[in-house]
Amino acid sequence: MPLFLKPIFHEKMWGGNKLETFGYQLPNQQIGECWGISAHPNGKNIIKNGPYAGQTLDQVWAEHRELFGEFPSKDFPLLAKIVDAESPLSIHVHPDDSYAYENENGQYGKLECWYVIDAEEGSEIILGTTADSKETFKQHLDAGTVEDTLRKVNVKSGEFYFVPAGTIHSIGAGIVAYEVMQSSDISYRVYDYQRDNHNGESRELNINKALDVMAFNNELPNIVPEKEIIESHQCTHIVSNDFFTIVKWEISGTLNYMKPREFCLVSVIDGEGKLITDGDIFDIQKGSHFVLTSEDLDNVFEGDFSLIISYI
């Protein structure tokens, strides 16, 4: 039986209320993140249905690894979230696995990707820097001119961006994005537009660690999603690497879905319909998040909706 998950909401100083469009009842009007599929200690989704209802995803991962094909990892490997950037996020960078393991108590690093669900006209992201060295970047930080070194990219709905570990980045104001990443919550903040938090204090910066892990003047991977029609539905292969594979499905009608791996993360980003798994019928709609397990053998999607499916 699929594991349907209760979303977790994180208040952020840059958040807003656009996640209400996913059918969520938000605890306040400054919600920056919905963690839809997570077993991370900073946000453990509760399972809503079936024999594991009331348990957290990390519990089921630890105690029923057979549901995940006996996947050989101590921790659940992926995290999927929706971000609402009412204001721009801080300029930050994530470490890779080796640096995080040595400096962050054995945690995962963070390689991630973004699918732009919605973007106001003129919205932009930060992706990379033109600085050619740690010393040059630090000089700009000290001089207050670091924004001049940042690569800014105008974005629109439906676009995808891949963010390798070590790439300095930020999501700008007016963007709602779906993110898939390694199960990590490590960010090294280097610049925050001189903003204060709710207590009137400047948010902590992590400049030394950020400079340790940053890539300078790097060419970002040119990843072009590939589209194909399967059973009259559009399937977009967004990215595939050693850490995750991400596919977007635009379904209209009926799709007999063959799981590519023992377990898959599924999020509905638009529309509504049904999931029929081994004869059991589940209503799904924009904002639904669930895991198809190794026991879910016969899966059919019916309706008009868009899905993002991720797996190792």
Side-chain angles (χ1 to χ4, degrees):
M1 181 176 292
L3 305 176
F4 282 84
L5 303 169
K6 182 179 179 180
I8 297 168
F9 302 106
H10 289 273
E11 180 180 353
K12 301 289 183 179
M13 64 183 301
W14 41 261
N17 60 11
K18 289 181 181 176
L19 294 180
E20 289 178 341
T21 64
F22 289 82
Y24 303 138
Q25 296 293 318
L26 302 182
N28 62 56
Q29 297 294 293
Q30 206 169 21
I31 298 301
E33 295 182 346
C34 164
W35 289 26
I37 306 175
S38 169
H40 191 276
N42 292 348
K44 304 174 183 179
N45 291 118
I46 295 174
I47 296 166
K48 299 195 294 185
N49 66 303
Y52 308 107
Q55 297 185 40
T56 56
L57 182 57
D58 67 311
Q59 283 181 272
V60 177
W61 175 262
E63 298 172 7
H64 298 281
R65 193 63 62 84
E66 71 278 3
L67 296 176
F68 308 93
E70 303 293 346
F71 191 84
S73 172
K74 178 175 70 71
D75 301 312
F76 190 82
L78 297 179
L79 193 160
K81 67 171 74 168
I82 306 172
V83 172
D84 172 16
E86 181 75 13
S87 302
L89 280 64
S90 66
I91 309 301
H92 59 280
V93 65
H94 306 302
D96 61 15
D97 281 347
S98 60
Y99 188 92
Y101 185 83
E102 292 181 12
N103 296 276
E104 302 292 347
N105 299 315
Q107 296 186 63
Y108 287 124
K110 189 192 289 190
L111 175 145
E112 66 185 18
C113 62
W114 307 331
Y115 175 80
V116 181
I117 297 174
D118 188 41
E120 297 175 5
E121 187 173 354
S123 297
E124 60 185 21
I125 60 172
I126 302 296
L127 200 59
T129 176
T130 58
D132 58 3
S133 68
K134 180 188 300 188
E135 292 73 24
T136 301
F137 190 82
K138 182 65 162 56
Q139 288 170 5
H140 281 282
L141 277 176
D142 293 340
T145 57
V146 71
E147 291 187 62
D148 296 339
T149 75
L150 302 175
R151 289 186 175 131
K152 299 178 181 179
V153 181
N154 288 104
V155 300
K156 58 185 178 181
S157 301
E159 293 181 336
F160 162 80
Y161 295 91
F162 179 59
V163 188
T167 304
I168 193 163
H169 62 277
S170 173
I171 295 176
I175 295 173
V176 176
Y178 181 82
E179 295 189 358
V180 177
M181 63 199 70
Q182 293 176 268
S183 184
S184 172
D185 200 25
I186 303 170
S187 291
Y188 300 145
R189 189 182 299 125
V190 297
Y191 181 72
D192 198 30
Y193 305 98
Q194 289 82 49
R195 292 184 292 196
D196 293 335
N197 62 20
H198 297 307
N199 299 320
E201 301 169 340
S202 297
R203 295 204 293 170
E204 179 185 4
L205 300 180
N206 318 102
I207 292 172
N208 289 336
K209 286 185 174 181
L211 292 174
D212 280 347
V213 304
M214 277 180 61
F216 293 97
N217 205 21
N218 58 318
E219 291 296 325
L220 296 175
N222 180 23
I223 294 179
V224 179
E226 298 180 359
K227 298 183 178 182
E228 64 175 324
I229 302 298
I230 300 177
E231 293 185 23
S232 77
H233 311 286
Q234 182 163 286
C235 174
T236 303
H237 302 275
I238 295 175
V239 66
S240 185
N241 53 49
D242 291 341
F243 299 92
F244 46 62
T245 293
I246 303 172
V247 179
K248 180 188 176 190
W249 284 90
E250 296 171 64
I251 296 169
S252 181
T254 301
L255 170 69
N256 295 288
Y257 181 67
M258 299 290 291
K259 286 203 322 294
R261 288 300 302 266
E262 292 83 356
F263 70 100
C264 299
L265 287 61
V266 185
S267 295
V268 184
I269 59 171
D270 198 21
E272 61 182 0
K274 297 184 183 299
L275 164 65
I276 304 168
T277 297
D278 300 325
D280 294 325
I281 301 174
F282 305 92
D283 291 324
I284 56 176
Q285 57 278 321
K286 181 179 179 178
S288 295
H289 305 274
F290 54 95
V291 177
L292 290 174
T293 74
S294 62
E295 295 182 351
D296 302 322
L297 303 178
D298 184 11
N299 300 289
V300 178
F301 292 112
E302 289 186 356
D304 291 283
F305 47 85
S306 297
L307 304 173
I308 293 183
I309 300 179
S310 310
Y311 53 91
I312 300 292

